[in-house]
Amino acid sequence: MPEQLAGELALIDELVGGRAADWDVAGELPTDLLRTLGAKGLLCAQVPAAYGGLGLSSQDNGELTAHVGGLCSSLRSIMTSQGIAAWAIQRFGDRTQRREFLAELTGGKLAAVGFSEPGAGSDLAAMRTRIEPDGDGFTVEGEKKWVTGTRYADFVLIVGRDGDGDGAAAAVVPVDTPGVHIELVPHPMGCRAAGHANIRLDNVRLPATHVLGGGGQPLSMLFTTALSYGRMSIAWGCVGILRACLNAAGSHVKQRQQGGVALAEHQLVRRHLAEMLIAEQAALRACEHASRCWDSASPDMGLTAVLAKHVSAGHAAQSAATAVQLLGSAGAEDGHVVARAFRDAKLMELIEGSSEICQLILADHALAISDAHKTLDESAVDRRTRG
């Protein structure tokens, strides 16, 4: 983490403090907090300095994300949404769009991102939202489900089809545009203060300048590019969850006594602590590797993001459950750090590609490696035969 970020981390600690539990119970984050952090570029810290951002590497932004994730997963979720929006604008927006929209995202405005639909999650072929040319602008029609951060957002980045076949587009839709209807998700299981909402778009008219790059991108590329950033953010956030659970469990078992000795002296308890430490280290190393691939623009960047997200989310869910087990009734209180982690981490196994989807992607890669090795082996045999 760069030294200049020490002050920013101290600011986050000061603004969040011990308030995350209350936010979780109330189901709402302070909007002024989000705008303060947004105006300092901390909600999308990889945006280059030329556009008003901090220009952090993936590695440094990852440690920032883990720090926030250890304090409040709802706040980290807002960072994920803001970061996905910024990354998509960087990759698909034209020069004017990058200059205008990125300045807004690093100036205090807030964004959400709409992917999932009632009948379409990971199944891209089922996506029904349309973003189509209409006169000198575009019309957006469709429905999006479980859009994180909508409660606080000034605009939503909506992904939809822009024609027949694989054509797609991403549109910047201000939430006060006529035809935008927002319904908050009332009682989400995890990240309860992250402002999840369902959005209906009825004949929403937009100027052409609000469709990134004019549209026409392949749906799979648009989807994967945006999700890769989200997966990285979630993976690093889960490292924060793991650290918070480990700290809470370690502190509790040193103080709580059972049978006349501290819980920490019981071998089964120590085994749990060891497994939690292993989980935190495994998740951290997977995230560090993925960030190195990201920062070097490696061809494996997307794959390592999937791997980091899968490893980190799975370990976070298991370790959060272990932390609740170790704390007993103390860890079952609504708002407690491990109770929040238990619910939040489970949600991390579902969003930005469920654990099963991640496994399918990783299995495809394993099969591709097998095919490549088979081809190399057959080539070697042919050379020996000809020799």
Side-chain angles (χ1 to χ4, degrees):
M1 183 72 67
E3 291 184 6
Q4 62 265 34
L5 270 183
E8 305 295 0
L9 294 182
L11 173 65
I12 291 171
D13 289 338
E14 177 185 347
L15 293 175
V16 176
R19 302 167 68 194
D22 293 335
W23 299 338
D24 181 67
V25 173
E28 186 174 2
L29 294 167
T31 304
D32 60 344
L33 165 73
L34 301 180
R35 295 203 182 279
T36 296
L37 295 176
K40 290 184 174 294
L42 289 168
L43 297 183
C44 49
Q46 284 183 240
V47 172
Y51 298 108
L54 299 180
L56 295 191
S57 65
S58 176
Q59 174 73 40
D60 292 333
N61 186 49
E63 284 293 350
L64 170 66
T65 305
H67 186 82
V68 174
L71 296 173
C72 177
S73 285
S74 290
L75 177 56
R76 194 275 312 147
S77 294
I78 301 300
M79 291 176 65
T80 300
S81 294
Q82 192 94 343
I84 291 175
W87 180 241
I89 291 167
Q90 283 180 242
R91 288 297 307 273
F92 299 106
D94 60 32
R95 182 179 301 177
T96 300
Q97 289 169 331
R98 292 195 297 271
R99 184 173 61 248
E100 176 184 348
F101 294 130
L102 292 177
E104 291 184 352
L105 291 178
T106 58
K109 287 199 172 183
L110 304 172
V113 182
F115 287 111
S116 296
E117 300 182 2
S122 301
D123 181 10
L124 298 184
M127 185 175 288
R128 294 290 177 263
T129 296
R130 310 291 297 190
I131 302 172
E132 298 181 325
D134 186 1
D136 58 354
F138 283 79
T139 298
V140 184
E141 189 86 26
E143 187 174 356
K144 296 295 181 179
K145 302 286 286 186
W146 203 270
V147 183
T148 300
T150 305
R151 180 175 193 148
Y152 317 107
D154 297 290
F155 64 81
V156 181
L157 187 70
I158 296 293
V159 176
R161 295 184 176 278
D162 73 346
D164 296 328
D166 192 37
V172 176
V173 182
V175 296
D176 58 359
T177 305
V180 176
H181 306 280
I182 295 171
E183 179 184 1
L184 295 178
V185 175
H187 302 292
M189 181 187 76
C191 300
R192 297 194 298 195
H196 310 291
N198 301 322
I199 303 175
R200 192 175 79 255
L201 305 130
D202 293 332
N203 195 34
V204 175
R205 290 273 302 157
L206 295 174
T209 54
H210 278 238
V211 174
L212 299 184
Q217 296 92 6
L219 179 58
S220 58
M221 181 179 72
L222 184 60
F223 197 77
T224 301
T225 298
L227 281 190
S228 290
Y229 185 99
R231 287 164 175 160
M232 291 290 292
S233 181
I234 288 170
W236 277 105
C238 284
V239 171
I241 290 176
L242 283 158
R243 290 171 177 171
C245 288
L246 187 57
N247 290 337
S251 177
H252 178 80
V253 300
K254 285 189 291 185
Q255 298 172 8
R256 173 75 164 152
Q257 291 201 344
Q258 186 74 28
V261 297
L263 283 176
E265 299 304 316
H266 291 268
Q267 288 184 335
L268 287 177
V269 170
R270 295 172 75 86
R271 187 202 71 181
H272 282 313
L273 292 175
E275 293 296 334
M276 291 174 70
L277 177 61
I278 292 168
E280 186 270 338
Q281 286 291 295
L284 174 60
R285 302 313 166 204
C287 287
E288 288 176 337
H289 174 60
S291 281
R292 285 193 296 270
C293 288
W294 188 287
D295 289 332
S296 65
S298 165
D300 291 331
M301 181 175 72
L303 178 73
T304 56
V306 173
L307 180 63
K309 190 267 183 186
H310 180 61
V311 169
S312 297
H315 280 315
Q318 180 58 55
S319 291
T322 299
V324 173
Q325 192 74 18
L326 290 174
L327 270 73
S329 59
E333 296 177 2
D334 202 12
H336 191 284
V337 60
V338 299
R340 284 189 284 119
F342 182 77
R343 290 181 284 98
D344 294 343
K346 185 59 192 176
L347 192 60
M348 297 308 102
E349 291 190 304
L350 302 176
I351 62 177
E352 312 294 17
S354 67
S355 296
E356 291 78 10
I357 291 296
C358 290
Q359 288 171 326
L360 289 175
I361 294 171
L362 296 172
D364 286 343
H365 182 68
L367 291 170
I369 292 175
S370 176
D371 288 342
H373 279 293
K374 181 180 178 181
T375 300
L376 288 173
D377 290 342
E378 290 174 346
S379 298
V381 170
D382 287 343
R383 286 196 298 273
R384 287 196 299 268
T385 301
R386 288 195 300 271

